[in-house]
Amino acid sequence: MSYPIIFKDGWRVFFMAAGLYGVAAMALWVAWLQGWAEAPFAPAPNAWHAHEMIFGFATAALGGFFLTAVPNWTGAKAAPERFVAVVAGLWLAGRVAVWFSGALPAALVAAIDLAFVPVLAAKLLTQLMKRPKPQNMMFLVLLTLVWVANLLVHLDWTGVTATEAQGLRGGLLSICAMIAVLGGRVTPAFTRNALLRADETAALPVTRKPLEVAGIALAILTAALAVLGAPAALTGTVAVGAGLAAAARLAGWRTAATLGDPIVWALHAGYAMLALGLAAWGLALLGIGPEIGALHILGIGAIGGMTLAVMSRASIGHSGRPLVAPGPVALGYALIPLAVALRWAAAGWPGPMYGIGTLGAGLIWIAAFALYLVALWPIWTTPRPVREAAA
């Protein structure tokens, strides 16, 4: 059976899907806020918005990343086109089910939406077992946390528990924990490569083992505590520690030297948002600052910024093109911190600023991912270029 080219590689269909859904879901949210659209789904619109950005947009980005990276880590055979098509179909079915949840039984919506991550994780397990390493196997644990968090949301929506908020926060923090691990791995490595390409004598990023361990362990513990619904004082204290550890790690990675290279600088910006967001969320749980603002630093800045950076870089690199961000994508990188600032202002200064900041942040997010889609669409939908042999 012949499949469209977007199913040839996991990064094609899932990075495309993440961009399309990031634009579409945010556009509906903005339209609802402005009174331009009705909500066809069963949950409250704000819960739908949070759920779909976490378990819709972000999990699509994770799917594309893991289906691409795990075979490279282990030497295992990449997932065949039929599997990529099936698992992409499961992800899409979840989005459709939640969209039409107002007309479907809640248990059916849950069953459909919860199917994607286990199928993806099962394939990743078969690939990881070829060369099992603890630092890679831990992603199965984090994917399990994401799935459990989504289950908590659906248990609430089916009337079994009252765990919607716990599940949404747990899912967000579990994905942030993956960023702490993956971002902490690729950001200094890609920075080192870029600096050496520019100057073989350049000072390189510094990683310190105690900080690496603390940054990863505290981020994962924060996620676990959020999923478990642990006391706010405990979770907040650990989250502040995770944010400080992330900031300490970033301090050694020579961020200032990357400012002229957007495809590298964007990784640093996403990791900086992770550090800031974890610390701000922890402080909010301790009674200092607005929680909703901190959650959006993590959602827009850490998850949105880092996924935009990684998806664009992987798409360009795996298509055989030079690792240079196209102009529209570089502009998209720069827009994400602006969206974070506006959404934070909306949370910190309610009243007129709420409407302005929320609408502005949503429109800027849409613009950033629309630029990403326009620039990278030809990469996802065309074969890898064939390099001419040297004369």
Side-chain angles (χ1 to χ4, degrees):
M1 179 179 177
S2 177
Y3 291 87
I5 193 170
I6 60 169
F7 298 119
K8 179 176 176 57
D9 306 286
W11 57 268
R12 294 178 187 267
V13 63
F14 278 109
F15 292 167
M16 176 192 290
L20 288 171
Y21 200 64
V23 169
M26 188 63 72
L28 177 62
W29 173 238
V30 168
W32 180 83
L33 286 174
Q34 298 303 305
W36 300 335
E38 294 294 326
F41 28 80
N46 63 323
W48 174 87
H49 165 65
H51 182 274
E52 290 306 283
M53 299 313 292
I54 297 167
F55 301 108
F57 163 79
T59 60
L62 289 178
F65 177 83
F66 284 124
L67 287 174
T68 305
V70 171
N72 290 337
W73 295 342
T74 64
K77 185 178 180 181
E81 294 176 32
R82 63 180 178 276
F83 177 84
V84 174
V86 167
V87 76
L90 287 175
W91 174 86
L92 180 60
R95 313 288 53 80
V96 173
V98 174
W99 177 270
F100 290 107
S101 55
L104 296 171
L108 177 61
V109 174
I112 295 172
D113 187 40
L114 291 166
F116 166 66
V117 168
V119 173
L120 173 66
K123 169 56 75 173
L124 299 180
L125 175 61
T126 64
Q127 295 173 328
L128 287 167
M129 289 306 296
K130 182 169 183 180
R131 193 178 298 167
K133 294 182 178 180
Q135 63 266 37
N136 294 333
M137 298 297 287
M138 77 169 68
F139 293 116
L140 296 176
V141 176
L142 291 172
L143 280 173
T144 300
L145 283 178
V146 171
W147 186 87
V148 170
N150 197 12
L151 175 64
L152 291 173
V153 177
H154 282 288
L155 287 174
D156 184 295
W157 291 354
T158 55
V160 176
T161 63
T163 51
E164 179 186 80
Q166 179 181 334
L168 292 173
R169 284 163 176 76
L172 180 74
L173 270 297
S174 296
I175 294 170
C176 286
M178 291 199 197
I179 291 174
V181 179
L182 291 169
R185 185 181 298 182
V186 304
T187 303
F190 291 160
T191 301
R192 180 182 185 278
N193 295 342
L195 293 177
L196 287 176
R197 283 196 298 270
D199 179 3
E200 292 183 355
T201 65
L204 301 178
V206 176
T207 58
R208 296 178 175 86
K209 189 68 173 181
L211 285 179
E212 303 304 301
V213 173
I216 291 171
L218 289 173
I220 294 174
L221 180 57
T222 300
L225 291 173
V227 172
L228 292 171
L234 173 60
T235 307
T237 301
V238 175
V240 170
L244 293 175
R249 296 177 78 189
L250 180 63
W253 294 347
R254 301 213 61 218
T255 299
T258 71
L259 297 181
D261 193 352
I263 206 165
V264 180
W265 170 84
L267 296 168
H268 289 254
Y271 207 85
M273 290 293 111
L274 175 71
L276 178 61
L278 286 171
W281 186 64
L283 289 173
L285 293 187
L286 298 174
I288 304 170
E291 187 194 13
I292 194 68
L295 291 171
H296 280 88
I297 295 174
L298 293 172
I300 300 172
I303 296 178
M306 188 62 83
T307 55
L308 184 63
V310 172
M311 292 190 302
S312 55
R313 183 187 182 94
S315 296
I316 293 166
H318 284 279
S319 68
R321 292 168 171 83
L323 283 173
V324 177
V329 175
L331 177 57
Y333 297 155
L335 289 175
I336 292 295
L338 179 57
V340 172
L342 279 174
R343 192 61 185 85
W344 170 261
W349 291 278
M353 189 63 222
Y354 177 81
I356 295 170
T358 303
L359 175 61
L363 292 176
I364 290 170
W365 170 283
I366 291 168
F369 280 91
L371 289 166
Y372 159 81
L373 287 168
V374 169
L376 300 185
W377 194 273
I379 290 178
W380 302 319
T381 56
T382 58
R384 180 186 175 101
V386 177
R387 294 185 179 181
E388 296 181 6

